[in-house]
Amino acid sequence: METKSEVLYTDMNGPSQQNTPTVYPRLTPTAPPQFPNPVQESVNPVNPHFAQNPPPYYAPIQRTAPPRPQPRCTSLSTLPSPTSPTFQQQQQQQHPTVINTNIQPSTDHFRHLQQQQQLPAVESPPSREQQTISSSQWTIWKSGYLEYGKSFTGNASNVGSWFRYYIQLRAGEFRLCGSMENQTGAQAISLDADVYTAIQDKKYLCLQYRDNLHVLRCKNETECIRWFVAFTSQTQAGPIMEGYCEKMSGRKKKYETRFMRLASDGIMTWYVSDSDTSSSRGSIQLRGVTSAIDRLDNRVVISRIGKRDFKLKFPDSAEANAWLKAFAWYTRHTPLKNSKLRNSAKQ
């Protein structure tokens, strides 16, 4: 039930004409108005479509707890026996599905398999060790015009006559042709690892066989070196050594520093320095010469030449042994006949 209370308010603008206060009624708040539910009453004042098609209501998601892991066996005694019914039942439960692996190929499938068997096998790529091929396995082919001669001694200067041929170096042989256009009736000379290749007098390329010496005369030293490299891919060549050492002087009886150069023909020449303008101070051949390490000093190599000992002193024993191996390679070869050598073979 509403109650009224009178409140006296004074006009701030001044007294009124009647000088009586104004009375205003105070209302007590009541509950808010109730509107009908649009879903229950099937009436929606905003969107009448909800009256026929109310919005869907989804059921709450039901969450179940994950299965607890089965406890593991703490000892072997708790494991079931393979022959027990419990073990067989567990195995059947673990493998309830049986897959049929029997294949019944058709005729086209058999034909495809036969074609794959006829295809060549794919080679696997070579390993790093197989890819590393030494230079001795490469065969160099070369051709050109050169003068050819034959000697029955170890010296290229003993060739009696020279003939101009078109030389063809092939795998396992070199051929002597009349010309590049006319190669009929060419003479073929076989090559193998027993053939010894060397350079004499800077322009003679010598191929030493057991019975004779085949000589190719080049125009200059550069051309001779090119042919030498080509022939050594199929034949053997002697070691080439260069370096400084101390040589025992025959007259002064003391060691002097010299630059030694051992060529592929077994001739060793010494110079004052390694300069190209330095002139030769002497040369000897190591063919048929016996060498050894000095017993008193392992840095000294002694070569017996006639009645004299030729001594070379190197910085250490390792370098002395390397030079000694090179000297020993020429010991089994026949000495050359050259008047310029101090130990020339007898005529």
Side-chain angles (χ1 to χ4, degrees), residues 43-70:
V43 177
N44 190 347
V46 180
N47 191 356
H49 177 70
F50 282 172
Q52 300 178 0
N53 299 320
Y57 292 90
Y58 297 95
I61 299 175
Q62 297 180 0
R63 300 184 181 273
T64 59
R68 296 181 179 180
Q70 297 293 335

Side-chain angles (χ1 to χ4, degrees), residues 196-198 228 232 236-240 263-266 329-330 333:
Y196 166 46
T197 305
F228 173 78
T232 52
Q236 64 174 336
I240 300 175
S264 61
D265 56 353
W329 194 91
Y330 294 101
H333 291 84

Side-chain angles (χ1 to χ4, degrees), residues 207-246:
L207 303 174
Q208 181 69 57
Y209 288 77
R210 294 182 179 179
D211 301 331
N212 49 31
L213 182 70
H214 297 270
V215 184
L216 300 177
R217 185 165 63 179
C218 304
K219 298 179 181 179
N220 48 46
E221 184 179 4
T222 303
E223 185 181 13
C224 189
I225 293 176
R226 292 175 180 174
W227 279 96
F228 173 78
V229 173
F231 271 95
T232 52
S233 65
Q234 306 183 45
T235 61
Q236 64 174 336
I240 300 175
M241 306 285 287
E242 288 185 354
Y244 280 96
C245 70
E246 295 181 2

Side-chain angles (χ1 to χ4, degrees), residues 64 74 106 131 161 164 247 249-251 253 280 283 309 340 345:
T64 59
T74 57
S106 60
Q131 293 178 359
S161 57
R164 184 175 177 80
K247 173 184 168 296
S249 176
R251 297 179 182 180
K253 300 298 179 181
S280 172
S283 58
D309 290 339
K340 297 181 181 181

Side-chain angles (χ1 to χ4, degrees), residues 59-315:
I61 299 175
Q62 297 180 0
R63 300 184 181 273
T64 59
R68 296 181 179 180
Q70 297 293 335
R72 297 185 178 182
C73 298
T74 57
S75 62
L76 295 177
S77 60
T78 59
L79 292 175
S81 176
T83 59
S84 62
T86 305
F87 180 81
Q88 295 179 0
Q89 185 179 2
Q90 291 179 359
Q91 293 294 327
Q92 292 178 0
Q93 293 178 0
Q94 292 179 2
H95 306 281
T97 305
V98 179
I99 301 174
N100 186 11
T101 58
N102 296 329
I103 301 176
Q104 297 180 358
S106 60
T107 306
D108 297 338
H109 185 71
F110 276 114
R111 187 181 298 108
H112 181 67
L113 292 177
Q114 292 178 358
Q115 293 178 359
Q116 288 184 348
Q117 294 178 359
Q118 296 177 359
L119 293 176
V122 180
E123 298 181 357
S124 58
S127 60
R128 184 178 298 273
E129 296 179 357
Q130 296 176 353
Q131 293 178 359
T132 306
I133 303 176
S134 60
S135 59
S136 60
Q137 298 182 2
W138 293 103
T139 301
I140 301 177
W141 288 27
K142 187 175 175 59
S143 59
Y145 286 96
L146 293 176
E147 293 183 356
Y148 168 79
K150 186 183 294 185
S151 175
F152 294 94
T153 64
N155 292 45
S157 58
N158 293 337
V159 175
S161 57
W162 296 92
F163 302 93
R164 184 175 177 80
Y165 287 104
Y166 180 73
I167 308 297
Q168 286 184 334
L169 177 60
R170 296 293 183 263
E173 65 178 11
F174 74 98
R175 305 175 60 187
L176 305 177
C177 307
S179 62
M180 182 176 60
E181 294 80 7
N182 183 16
Q183 300 182 8
T184 58
Q187 179 184 357
I189 303 175
S190 62
L191 296 173
D192 52 29
D194 295 334
V195 179
Y196 166 46
T197 305
I199 297 177
Q200 294 185 16
D201 297 337
K202 298 183 180 181
K203 62 179 181 179
Y204 295 106
L205 180 63
C206 303
L207 303 174
Q208 181 69 57
Y209 288 77
R210 294 182 179 179
D211 301 331
N212 49 31
L213 182 70
H214 297 270
V215 184
L216 300 177
R217 185 165 63 179
C218 304
K219 298 179 181 179
N220 48 46
E221 184 179 4
T222 303
E223 185 181 13
C224 189
I225 293 176
R226 292 175 180 174
W227 279 96
F228 173 78
V229 173
F231 271 95
T232 52
S233 65
Q234 306 183 45
T235 61
Q236 64 174 336
I240 300 175
M241 306 285 287
E242 288 185 354
Y244 280 96
C245 70
E246 295 181 2
K247 173 184 168 296
M248 175 63 72
S249 176
R251 297 179 182 180
K252 300 180 181 180
K253 300 298 179 181
K254 67 176 183 179
Y255 285 104
E256 296 177 349
T257 303
R258 293 290 181 265
F259 180 78
M260 313 302 293
R261 180 174 295 167
L262 177 61
S264 61
D265 56 353
I267 298 178
M268 184 171 60
T269 308
W270 55 90
Y271 306 85
V272 177
S273 65
D274 59 346
S275 177
D276 295 336
T277 58
S278 180
S279 58
S280 172
R281 302 301 299 269
S283 58
I284 61 173
Q285 65 172 331
L286 297 174
R287 293 190 175 193
V289 176
T290 304
S291 304
I293 296 292
D294 190 0
R295 296 181 179 179
L296 302 178
D297 192 350
N298 57 2
R299 299 176 300 171
V300 178
V301 178
I302 302 177
S303 300
R304 188 68 178 180
I305 300 176
K307 298 180 181 181
R308 177 190 169 188
D309 290 339
F310 190 83
K311 295 183 179 182
L312 297 176
K313 185 177 181 181
F314 296 93

